[in-house]
Amino acid sequence: MEIRLDGTHYPLETLGPGRRLGIWLQGCSLACAGCMSRHTWDPEAGTVTTVSEVLALWQQALVDGADGLTVSGGEPLQQAAALAELLAGAARLRDEARRHEGSAGPRSTDLLVYTGYEHEELTPQRRRALVGADAVIIGRFRVAEPTRLVWRGSANQRIVALTPRGAARYAPYLAQESAGPRLQVGAGEDRELRLYGVPLRGELAEMERLLRQAGVAFTERSWRP
Ligand code: SF4
């Protein structure tokens, strides 16, 4: 099955516990004011690949000791069928890897999905797409409700466990504030700078200001119209 991606990154350390494979799906019509990822809105942009190709990345991440998979976007539930296949495949590969670990395991490895939809917007089709996930971080980004809660962009967003594994994994973090860096920096294609994570209010503007002082100016920014 085809899936349209904005990108992938490993190891991702700012969107979920531990070192994770990050997968960003392309396309979001929710258009939250203040979204830092406007480049993911266009459903025709990004790169088309297959779920199998993405699962190959996950398999390699498991070999490399990944602590989990984070699916974000964009809005993952706007590619519901591909997301369902991705999560089902990721859970299967995770369980196979655990079986092979034998006495050395099992390692705790979770599948986390970000969605901007609210709980009451989870239609049966969207709920089915999330069946393989251990937890979701749910709710629109609301720029007027800043937060220091770990992995969340605004105070309304909730971590919701969907499995016993997710409940055990995320219970310590439900009300925890960020202790370490909230953003990771990576290099994308064609002189792109990629930021992974959730900044505090004002951090992106401050970063721009400091870089400008150092003689570095952005030609485009995904957090500005
Ligand atoms: S914050 Fe997330 S849900 Fe909201 S517009 Fe941006 S990508 Fe879409």
Side-chain angles (χ1 to χ4, degrees):
M1 181 180 292
E2 288 191 340
I3 186 168
R4 189 177 285 269
L5 298 185
D6 165 52
T8 66
H9 184 73
Y10 182 84
L12 172 69
E13 297 180 80
T14 49
L15 293 173
R19 290 161 61 87
R20 313 175 65 86
L21 175 64
I23 300 173
W24 288 265
L25 272 60
Q26 182 69 30
C28 180
S29 62
L30 300 182
C32 305
C35 171
M36 69 175 280
S37 307
R38 298 173 67 94
H39 65 293
T40 67
W41 289 8
D42 182 354
E44 304 297 326
T47 310
V48 176
T49 180
T50 63
V51 170
S52 302
E53 293 284 336
V54 180
L55 288 174
L57 296 178
W58 173 233
Q59 194 159 23
Q60 184 58 50
L62 287 167
V63 170
D64 294 342
D67 295 299
L69 172 70
T70 296
V71 183
S72 186
E75 175 45 63
L77 287 173
Q78 291 184 4
Q79 295 187 61
L83 177 65
E85 188 168 306
L86 175 64
L87 291 172
R92 178 177 44 78
L93 290 171
R94 183 257 316 269
D95 293 344
E96 282 174 16
R98 282 168 51 117
R99 275 197 296 278
H100 288 137
E101 280 171 4
S103 58
R107 210 172 52 224
S108 180
T109 308
D110 69 279
L111 310 180
L112 172 68
V113 178
Y114 277 78
T115 177
Y117 285 112
E118 306 293 346
H119 203 265
E120 59 275 15
E121 294 175 307
L122 293 182
T123 61
Q125 186 207 25
R126 291 177 186 147
R127 286 176 191 273
R128 276 196 299 277
L130 291 170
V131 160
D134 295 302
V136 288
I137 294 183
I138 189 166
R140 299 281 196 286
F141 170 66
R142 296 187 194 156
V143 70
E145 298 182 33
T147 185
R148 301 189 74 88
L149 287 171
V150 69
W151 309 319
R152 279 154 283 179
S154 54
N156 61 298
Q157 294 176 327
R158 295 277 173 269
I159 300 175
V160 179
L162 302 180
T163 65
R165 180 199 306 267
R169 182 74 144 166
Y170 286 92
Y173 302 109
L174 300 180
Q176 183 175 306
E177 298 193 342
S178 299
R182 290 175 65 104
L183 282 177
Q184 250 176 287
V185 180
E189 292 174 4
D190 196 20
R191 295 165 60 86
E192 271 180 358
L193 188 71
R194 291 229 159 206
L195 299 175
Y196 304 114
V198 188
L200 292 174
R201 179 188 264 187
E203 271 185 338
L204 294 177
E206 178 66 1
M207 180 187 70
E208 279 186 70
R209 190 183 67 76
L210 292 171
L211 285 171
R212 214 169 28 245
Q213 274 182 2
V216 179
F218 293 114
T219 52
E220 288 179 64
R221 289 148 291 187
S222 65
W223 54 89
R224 296 274 177 80

